[in-house]
Amino acid sequence: MPLPQPDDLTSLVLRTDFGDEGAWDAVRAALDASGEYPHATYVSELRFAGVGVQVLVDEEAAADEDEHIVHLFLADAATMHDPGHPLLAVDLSDEPGRTFRVPTRWFPDISANLSIANMDFADFADAADGSGTFHGFDEG
């Protein structure tokens, strides 16, 4: 089950929960409204229903080098049921399987910085709070 390749300079947003079409529409609308430019390549394929992080890590490890994806974002059950629709960011390269939650307001910044390799996945993951959610960098 090779992972789809994102469009140029966007991040892959992979839907894994298919219980509520309206929630998926709301997630995409929130992400599209959160930035001036497109930051997401949306994938909604039933073959990814319920897929877990480890399966994605294993698939990526088995992929041909020219098909590698460094990170992706999951629209999982937690994303669909939480009113803020926080995506699950997944590292597939440096620390495969490391995750943190991304509220939609932070998605454009994280996606852009990761897509151009301006910052590393760990920069954001290390700044996540105790619940594992990124809420920006502490200005203090």
Side-chain angles (χ1 to χ4, degrees), residues 91-114:
D91 186 348
L92 297 172
S93 180
D94 293 332
E95 297 177 69
R98 187 171 186 194
T99 64
F100 65 93
R101 287 275 167 198
V102 179
T104 54
R105 77 173 288 241
W106 294 108
F107 178 77
D109 291 337
I110 294 171
S111 174
N113 279 292
L114 291 177

Side-chain angles (χ1 to χ4, degrees), residues 24-108:
W24 174 237
D25 292 341
V27 168
R28 289 182 298 146
L31 292 173
D32 289 343
S34 66
E36 186 176 343
Y37 303 103
H39 293 283
T41 295
Y42 300 109
V43 175
S44 178
E45 297 176 12
L46 281 174
R47 67 185 173 125
F48 294 110
V51 71
V53 170
Q54 191 57 53
V55 170
L56 296 170
V57 168
D58 293 345
E59 286 296 323
E60 188 55 23
D64 292 334
E65 188 174 326
D66 60 338
E67 295 178 343
H68 277 245
I69 298 173
V70 176
H71 67 276
L72 59 76
F73 297 84
L74 297 184
D76 59 4
T79 304
M80 300 299 186
H81 295 105
D82 186 302
H85 303 299
L87 298 169
L88 184 66
V90 180
D91 186 348
L92 297 172
S93 180
D94 293 332
E95 297 177 69
R98 187 171 186 194
T99 64
F100 65 93
R101 287 275 167 198
V102 179
T104 54
R105 77 173 288 241
W106 294 108
F107 178 77

